[in-house]
Amino acid sequence: MRKKIVAGNWKMNLTLEEGKQLSSEIKDFVRQNPLQNLKGQPGVILFTPFIHLASVAADVAESEGLEAGAQNCHTEEKGAYTGETSAMMIQSAGAGNVLIGHSERRSYFGETDEVLAKKTEIALKNNLRPMFCCGEVLEERNAENHFQVVKKQLEKGLFWLSPVDFAKVVIAYEPVWAIGTGVTASPGQAQEMHAYIRSIIAEKYGDIVAHNTSILYGGSCNAQNAEELFAKEDVDGGLIGGASLKAADFSTIIKSFS
Ligand code: PEP
């Protein structure tokens, strides 16, 4: 079912102690501001580094609507993959979510659409909710190829799923030129792409599935601009990088639905 979501991507930041501190501050915020009483009744997900995952998952377990997630998983269930972490391990750590296809994974770690399709499959098999990231680089937008790029990412990464499995996925549209740059897509640009994404989901899976899909915006979303972005009809919340590292900013973003 379509839901408003604010997700924090901590990336490779924070020591274990700092991570515990941040999750406990967010937990305090949620205790004082029950999510079901806030506008939009958002769910909140903390995508932590693996080192933090089990402790954050345990910390937020009793907080209604607050969940933990991993930033990546391996394509295989288990085996001789030194340094890697499987979807099954993430599930066993008490986390229910996993980011798939963040642009930093695509560009720095060479993750292809085919690899991301496998990661999505193994995540679903292990009862994790994939948050699948898509988005164009600046050259692609300047060349007016952005719709085609995003369409291809979704077709290869997700559109082979059954309708039942597709309904478990959350999509994050993250224009690469906006990630960590301080340049945000305008609310109009975000809405235009989100509406397009919903339209191609409708073509593939039908109007009801499209209507029920949560599509988040990510890319320099912060406490100042979240409200305007989240006010757009097809923007169901945000995937937040830098601004998720400060409890005060992240809390303001959680309250930014109208
Ligand atoms: C991200 O990493 O998903 C992200 C959106 O980062 P930032 O908010 O820092 O641009």
Side-chain angles (χ1 to χ4, degrees):
M1 199 58 182
R2 182 157 163 193
K3 189 168 169 46
K4 309 281 187 202
I5 298 171
V6 175
N9 176 11
W10 293 3
K11 309 197 188 194
M12 195 175 73
N13 291 298
L14 308 175
T15 63
L16 189 54
E17 277 316 305
E18 290 166 344
K20 282 182 183 164
Q21 176 65 27
L22 179 56
S23 90
S24 100
E25 284 172 19
I26 293 161
K27 199 170 93 170
D28 285 347
F29 165 80
V30 169
R31 193 181 306 124
Q32 287 154 20
N33 302 270
L35 296 171
Q36 66 271 22
N37 296 346
L38 295 182
K39 284 187 185 155
Q41 305 184 313
V44 176
I45 307 170
L46 305 178
F47 287 102
T48 79
F50 286 121
I51 281 287
H52 304 63
L53 195 55
S55 64
V56 170
D59 195 33
V60 303
E62 305 298 318
S63 302
E64 187 70 35
L66 180 56
E67 299 176 19
Q71 297 170 14
N72 179 35
C73 68
H74 196 263
T75 52
E76 303 300 323
E77 196 85 62
K78 60 180 172 179
Y81 301 101
T82 302
E84 291 294 323
T85 303
S86 73
M88 188 167 60
M89 293 171 187
I90 293 167
Q91 176 64 243
S92 75
N97 301 274
V98 62
L99 276 184
I100 306 272
H102 190 281
S103 71
E104 288 152 16
R105 299 289 322 167
R106 290 177 190 262
S107 63
Y108 302 150
F109 301 96
E111 295 192 1
T112 61
D113 292 325
E114 290 71 24
V115 165
L116 300 177
K118 281 195 190 164
K119 290 190 174 195
T120 303
E121 183 177 28
I122 198 101
L124 287 165
K125 188 172 164 214
N126 285 279
N127 295 318
L128 296 177
R129 173 166 53 179
M131 185 176 289
F132 188 91
C133 305
C134 57
E136 79 286 356
V137 299
L138 190 58
E139 293 71 29
E140 291 163 337
R141 178 161 280 263
N142 287 341
E144 298 186 1
N145 272 339
H146 45 299
F147 293 115
Q148 272 312 106
V149 168
V150 168
K151 185 176 189 199
K152 181 170 161 274
Q153 290 171 342
L154 294 176
E155 279 175 349
K156 295 215 165 181
L158 293 181
F159 283 4
W160 54 274
L161 290 171
S162 70
V164 170
D165 276 343
F166 182 83
K168 298 172 187 160
V169 175
V170 171
I171 292 175
Y173 167 59
E174 300 206 296
V176 181
W177 46 271
I179 298 179
T181 58
V183 179
T184 318
S186 69
Q189 286 173 318
Q191 169 58 27
E192 185 184 36
M193 181 58 88
H194 284 226
Y196 173 72
I197 291 172
R198 210 177 292 288
S199 76
I200 58 175
I201 297 170
E203 273 171 33
K204 172 73 190 168
Y205 291 106
D207 288 342
I208 295 173
V209 172
H211 177 78
N212 285 337
T213 304
S214 296
I215 307 174
L216 313 188
Y217 168 79
S220 298
C221 182
N222 58 38
Q224 285 73 45
N225 59 30
E227 194 171 343
E228 228 192 325
L229 285 158
F230 294 0
K232 290 294 178 188
E233 192 185 336
D234 288 293
V235 178
D236 300 311
L239 176 55
I240 319 296
S244 73
L245 297 173
K246 292 207 179 93
D249 287 353
F250 193 59
S251 306
T252 301
I253 297 170
I254 294 169
K255 288 193 288 186
S256 292
F257 293 95
S258 46

